[in-house]
Amino acid sequence: AQSVTQPDIHITVSEGASLELRCNYSYGATPYLFWYVQSPGQGLQLLLKYFSGDTLVQGIKGFEAEFKRSQSSFNLRKPSVHWSDAAEYFCAVVANYGGATNKLIFGTGTLLAVQP
Amino acid sequence: KAGVTQTPRYLIKTRGQQVTLSCSPISGHRSVSWYQQTPGQGLQFLFEYFSETQRNKGNFPGRFSGRQFSNSRSEMNVSTLELGDSALYLCASSLVGGEAFFGQGTRLTVV
């Protein structure tokens, strides 16, 4: 069965520092992968997606992620964190991609705190 | 282009009551999915509708049901509410094989 693991529950970084959030997936075929961000009490906002092609994908708000098939990873990065990036980040994979579903399987999330 | 609209944003219900939540997807999106988010269980898939047909269902009791209308708007219903049903309910709309766009959610509190 497909699954997504986010090993870090909480991460604290200083404003201006670089950021890397880890995501590992379990999926038999080429996955469709996503990163979402959620502010408290709000819905999920799509940061970026990987469907195929270039393994380094650019997203909104200066985020990027790299798909590494050999490591089953899709880590999210940002070179310089802003205080407004404090939020919870979720990695997700589409279950059984093939057009038959848009069901997402989510990781448990990583809560990012930004120190001034 | 308008985003996904969920109504109401907040609800307080009493145990044993039932509740209906509404979701209007992005125009042109025919796939609508529902998720429950709680601090303990995280984001869990409830069900997915496509062209008025339920295409997938998560592991939730039969008290949770949904439907989709011909205009792609969707509703979910929870009957005989329990305290554990308190959660943020999120709706997402998608094109076929595309990324999901989420609404702001409905915060349900059961007392």
Side-chain angles (χ1 to χ4, degrees):
Chain A
Q2 299 91 346
S3 65
V4 176
T5 302
Q6 293 180 248
D8 305 305
I9 298 174
H10 291 99
I11 283 184
T12 299
V13 300
S14 298
E15 192 168 15
S18 64
L19 171 70
E20 182 168 25
L21 302 182
R22 296 183 292 166
C23 172
N24 293 97
Y25 65 90
S26 171
Y27 190 73
T30 299
Y32 268 30
L33 293 159
F34 307 87
W35 275 99
Y36 286 89
V37 61
Q38 185 179 38
S39 297
Q42 300 298 311
L44 301 172
Q45 182 182 21
L46 178 67
L47 285 175
L48 47 76
K49 65 189 180 194
Y50 172 76
F51 282 1
S52 65
D54 194 348
T55 56
L56 185 63
V57 294
Q58 303 296 321
I60 62 171
K61 305 185 179 187
F63 285 93
E64 67 178 26
E66 186 171 12
F67 170 65
K68 292 185 177 180
R69 184 189 300 276
S70 61
Q71 297 177 20
S72 298
S73 69
F74 188 56
N75 294 348
L76 182 70
R77 301 193 294 248
K78 187 170 185 178
S80 178
V81 170
H82 188 262
W83 64 266
S84 61
D85 293 324
E88 191 157 22
Y89 292 79
F90 293 92
C91 182
V93 65
V94 171
N96 297 318
Y97 174 72
T101 182
N102 288 311
K103 172 185 174 182
L104 290 170
I105 296 172
F106 285 92
T108 50
T110 297
L111 187 61
L112 174 67
V114 181
Q115 286 181 335
Chain B
K1 200 177 213 182
V4 179
T5 303
Q6 290 189 246
T7 56
R9 287 293 311 277
Y10 302 93
L11 269 177
I12 300 176
K13 290 287 187 179
T14 305
R15 273 181 299 175
Q17 288 187 312
Q18 75 165 17
V19 67
T20 299
L21 312 182
S22 179
C23 172
S24 293
I26 293 170
S27 178
H29 287 193
R30 293 161 62 191
S31 172
V32 174
S33 299
W34 290 88
Y35 296 83
Q36 182 196 63
Q37 186 178 26
T38 60
Q41 300 298 316
L43 282 153
Q44 293 188 289
F45 172 78
L46 280 158
F47 24 66
E48 176 189 9
Y49 287 88
F50 180 78
S51 294
E52 303 179 65
T53 301
Q54 188 178 87
R55 189 156 70 170
N56 265 296
K57 189 177 193 303
N59 189 25
F60 279 82
R63 301 184 296 107
F64 290 81
S65 63
R67 59 178 175 169
Q68 186 179 33
F69 302 95
S70 58
N71 62 358
S72 294
R73 189 178 71 85
S74 178
E75 290 181 345
M76 66 163 283
N77 184 277
V78 188
S79 62
T80 319
L81 284 166
E82 301 177 359
L83 295 179
D85 297 333
S86 295
L88 181 67
Y89 289 88
L90 292 164
C91 168
S93 80
S94 312
L95 292 169
V96 176
E99 62 266 40
F101 295 90
F102 284 81
Q104 294 288 73
T106 295
R107 170 72 63 184
L108 172 65
T109 302
V110 182
V111 297

